[in-house]
Amino acid sequence: MVLLIHAHPYPQHSRAGSALLAAVRDLPGLELRSLYDLYPDFDIDVAEEQAALQRARLVVWLHPVYWYSVPGMLKHWFDVVLLRGFAYGSEGTALHGKHCLWACTTGGPQDSYAPGGAHERPFTDFVAPVEQTARFCGMHWLEPLVLQGAHLIDEAQLASAAASFRQRLLAAQAIAKPDNDAR
């Protein structure tokens, strides 16, 4: 099962996020958990979220990049769901061996993430905290899917990115099958 954790505080304003979700919504075995819809008061049902994680073989974190990181709700989800004894620590092996795909969008185009660009640093500098979250929980980190300049790209580029996202999920789903598990 693929668990897609979607965290966008304003999904109605996100043509890129909407296109990515539309491209995968019909995939067999996909469970979509849209955090801002499920928990508008930020009162996350930890047991339900942990149960969803336990059902998954592949976990996808889909969100826009906010201030060089994840949106507040996803950070809160990390804090309250990925607990010691569940996701890490000597007894916290629930996520060990699961695959993790980070799919994010940025408003700034690729050239804005470079020395002299608006953000002054390469985008890869901002990957480490999310990657290490997955790795610390014993997950297999997959190459991220990053859609940069999300509100600047044309419809053809957006359609291509959405098709690529779908293909990445299908490919990741195949490698995350239990018979391919490297445990």
Side-chain angles (χ1 to χ4, degrees), residues 1-181:
M1 190 269 284
V2 175
L3 176 63
L4 195 160
I5 303 296
H6 178 238
H8 197 307
Y10 309 105
Q12 70 277 15
H13 299 300
S14 175
R15 71 187 258 274
S18 295
L20 294 176
L21 283 175
V24 300
R25 194 176 294 274
D26 68 337
L27 287 178
L30 177 81
E31 180 178 344
L32 171 61
R33 300 198 56 80
S34 186
L35 299 181
Y36 283 91
D37 290 339
L38 290 169
Y39 308 113
D41 58 0
F42 274 58
D43 189 16
I44 293 174
D45 184 337
V46 174
E48 181 60 34
E49 295 303 313
Q50 289 179 344
L53 283 166
Q54 289 179 311
R55 291 189 298 271
R57 298 293 310 148
L58 167 63
V59 177
V60 180
W61 293 325
L62 172 63
H63 64 86
V65 172
Y66 270 37
W67 290 105
Y68 312 105
S69 186
V70 301
M73 176 67 86
L74 186 54
K75 175 59 170 85
H76 180 56
W77 185 90
F78 288 163
D79 292 345
V80 301
V81 174
L82 303 180
L83 298 175
R84 177 183 203 87
F86 173 77
Y88 70 95
S90 61
E91 303 293 319
T93 60
L95 303 180
H96 284 201
K98 295 179 187 289
H99 292 76
C100 183
L101 174 63
W102 185 38
C104 63
T105 61
T106 71
Q110 187 173 358
D111 63 1
S112 70
Y113 288 93
H119 304 294
E120 295 287 331
R121 306 180 71 79
F123 187 79
T124 54
D125 283 2
F126 306 107
V127 174
V130 180
E131 178 180 356
Q132 188 56 27
T133 298
R135 291 188 184 279
F136 192 70
C137 295
M139 300 173 84
H140 299 293
W141 179 253
L142 302 175
E143 183 67 28
L145 184 142
V146 182
L147 176 56
Q148 293 184 300
H151 64 279
L152 304 172
I153 62 175
D154 64 31
E155 291 304 317
Q157 292 170 309
L158 185 56
S160 176
S164 177
F165 183 48
R166 183 179 180 87
Q167 289 308 309
R168 288 287 310 275
L169 283 188
L170 288 169
Q173 213 173 9
I175 66 167
K177 288 187 177 175
D179 58 327
N180 292 332
D181 194 359

